[in-house]
Amino acid sequence: MSRGGAAQVAKKSVRRNDVLLSAVLYVVAVAATAGFAYDLFGKAFGLVHNRCSAKRDFTVQCEAIKPAASALWGLLIGGGGMALALMSALVIASVAAMTGRRAWVWPALAIPVVLICGGVGHLLIGNAAG
């Protein structure tokens, strides 16, 4: 191998500290996504389940409540945005790490995207519930 080829191979090696920091940031993004997903789907379940009550004559009367359109938008923006941010960060960070570039940048960018999408979804579903 020529001298220039050896320098090029050394430059493209995987940096362990960069990969470790990237993994930690990705775990933080996944934890934030899990928290928001629990909140969003809990609120959405409260909107779509039927409210039933038992009467004295042993009959059950149920009210079917149709959720507002903002609840669907909240799930779409919240869940879809967070999932897209996580998948994109994982793929781009993996490619960046394997090509010798900084991989921690992409999970670091995914964290605010997850927080914004989760917050917007929370507000939209909260407005539908209220």
Side-chain angles (χ1 to χ4, degrees):
M1 191 181 305
S2 68
R3 190 175 210 198
Q8 190 177 26
V9 170
K11 179 183 173 191
K12 297 219 179 211
S13 66
V14 177
R15 298 180 225 162
R16 289 183 184 162
N17 290 337
D18 188 42
V19 172
L20 181 63
L21 179 60
S22 178
V24 169
L25 289 171
Y26 190 77
V27 168
V28 169
V30 167
T33 299
F36 273 119
Y38 180 78
D39 176 58
L40 294 177
F41 286 110
K43 286 182 182 285
F45 180 74
L47 285 173
V48 294
H49 81 280
N50 293 332
R51 293 185 168 86
C52 298
S53 58
K55 296 190 170 208
R56 286 187 171 194
D57 60 351
F58 300 107
T59 60
V60 177
Q61 182 174 358
C62 295
E63 294 178 38
I65 300 171
K66 184 178 177 185
S70 67
L72 178 61
W73 282 109
L75 283 176
L76 184 66
I77 291 170
M82 291 186 299
L84 185 63
L86 284 180
M87 287 186 291
S88 299
L90 182 64
V91 170
I92 296 173
S94 299
V95 170
M98 296 308 295
T99 57
R101 295 183 178 99
R102 292 186 186 128
W104 64 268
V105 173
W106 303 106
L109 288 174
I111 292 172
V113 172
V114 164
L115 295 176
I116 290 169
C117 289
V120 168
H122 173 81
L123 289 175
L124 287 172
I125 294 178
N127 287 340

